[in-house]
Amino acid sequence: MRIAVVAPSNQLSREAAAKVEALVRERGDSELFVHPQCFLSAGHFAGTDDQRLQALREVMADPAIDAIWFARGGYGSNRIAEAAARDFPDTARSKLFMGYSDTGFLLAAFHKAGLRVAHGPMPQDSLRKGGEQAVSRALDWLVRRDSSALEPRLQPPAMAFNLTVLSKLLGTVLEPEFAGVELLIEEVSEHHYRIDRLMFHITSNPNVRRVARIRLGRASDIPENDPPFAHDEQAIVADWCRRSGIELGEPADIGHDSANRVVPFGRFAD
């Protein structure tokens, strides 16, 4: 299997790239191509919008590439997602796309367009504590479709998003169909009052109200609120699910951490 890494948002660190390349060589079950675009810099982004889009479309068109692995999150994939999902080459239909966090914009757009996508760890995660295990888990799924890499209690069809990304894509051309979907959510570095506001917006959406259930993953690195908000993330999500008539499922094993699990979108599982 040949896996291409592109950076639709922020720049991939060379240290992370080197760690992942070494791991792939040690495994010996795949070949990794880290696109030079991953190391470009245009202010906040890994190159200009045009450069990031061009690199993505290049690997989408390459028949020798079996999977496209988004390098990292940050911010920026929404700026190219609509264009990337429009008039894509037929070769893209045979590929698997993986990422999470900000790249949820692309996962939503590509899934809506009929491509195979999965939420899962990315190369930049190699720099986290326990990052090698996270990257290995992603490769286990990309290369071997190892079911042990999956979120263990999935009830497909499923989707997984960062809460802020999900809120921001609702009402846009990227918004997928949620009817009957098990929707997994996670968050990082947001105050509890902001999580509450995000849940108000998300559960007010008529499309989201058609999900089978919502399952909350980990909300990490939550700043202290002054005064205390009085409700934690579990209570917040439970409250808005109750208000909107959405079933609240059991906790999900996803998050901005090395324990993050793979969630294939839809019914795709092999």
Side-chain angles (χ1 to χ4, degrees):
M1 167 173 275
R2 193 160 193 249
I3 303 167
V5 178
V6 292
S9 306
N10 291 168
Q11 183 185 65
L12 176 65
S13 78
R14 292 189 180 275
E15 180 185 0
K19 282 179 175 287
V20 175
E21 288 172 330
L23 179 59
V24 169
R25 285 194 300 270
E26 182 180 342
R27 289 169 61 101
D29 58 2
S30 59
E31 180 183 351
L32 194 71
F33 166 61
V34 180
H35 198 290
Q37 171 269 325
C38 291
F39 307 113
L40 296 180
S41 179
H44 177 86
F45 308 107
T48 65
D49 288 353
D50 286 344
Q51 289 171 321
R52 300 194 321 280
L53 178 60
Q54 181 180 351
L56 177 54
R57 292 188 71 88
E58 178 185 319
V59 294
M60 291 172 75
D62 187 343
I65 299 298
D66 301 297
I68 296 175
W69 201 7
F70 300 134
R72 62 168 299 166
Y75 170 72
S77 76
N78 61 304
R79 297 170 60 92
I80 64 172
E82 182 178 0
R86 184 175 57 236
D87 300 325
F88 53 79
D90 285 342
T91 48
R93 297 189 182 279
S94 64
K95 305 182 193 308
L96 171 62
F97 300 80
M98 178 179 281
Y100 75 105
S101 189
D102 180 78
T103 67
F105 290 109
L106 281 167
L107 298 182
F110 285 176
H111 175 68
K112 185 176 182 178
L115 300 181
R116 300 187 301 164
V117 308
H119 159 112
M122 298 181 288
Q124 187 70 20
D125 288 325
S126 63
L127 300 185
R128 296 183 186 274
K129 182 179 180 180
E132 182 174 329
Q133 287 76 21
V135 170
S136 294
R137 187 180 311 118
L139 288 167
D140 287 345
W141 173 251
L142 285 171
V143 178
R144 303 198 301 266
R145 302 295 187 270
D146 186 342
S147 62
S148 68
L150 297 175
E151 203 286 332
R153 294 175 294 275
L154 280 181
Q155 299 181 55
M159 297 184 196
F161 291 100
N162 170 264
L163 193 57
T164 297
V165 169
L166 175 60
S167 178
K168 296 303 181 183
L169 66 81
L170 295 180
T172 74
V173 296
L174 309 181
E175 181 179 323
E177 173 59 57
F178 290 111
V181 166
E182 178 169 86
L183 180 59
L184 283 63
I185 55 175
E186 55 83 22
E187 191 51 274
V188 62
S189 301
E190 294 287 359
H191 290 80
H192 279 132
Y193 79 86
R194 290 184 174 177
I195 293 175
D196 189 76
R197 184 165 58 197
L198 290 166
M199 285 301 300
F200 155 71
H201 179 224
I202 288 166
T203 59
S204 296
N205 181 281
N207 185 13
V208 173
R209 288 191 175 187
R210 299 169 66 201
V211 299
R213 67 194 61 82
I214 285 177
R215 294 176 58 199
L216 174 64
R218 289 175 289 281
S220 57
D221 193 28
I222 298 175
E224 289 188 17
N225 202 76
D226 185 17
F229 190 69
H231 302 289
D232 64 15
E233 60 273 17
Q234 290 87 6
I236 292 167
V237 171
D239 180 47
W240 285 107
C241 283
R242 178 187 58 77
R243 290 171 181 245
S244 58
I246 298 173
E247 178 184 333
L248 177 64
E250 57 189 323
D253 195 7
I254 64 169
H256 271 67
D257 53 40
S258 296
N260 190 25
R261 311 291 289 193
V262 175
V263 179
F265 277 38
R267 295 191 179 277
F268 165 59
D270 54 27

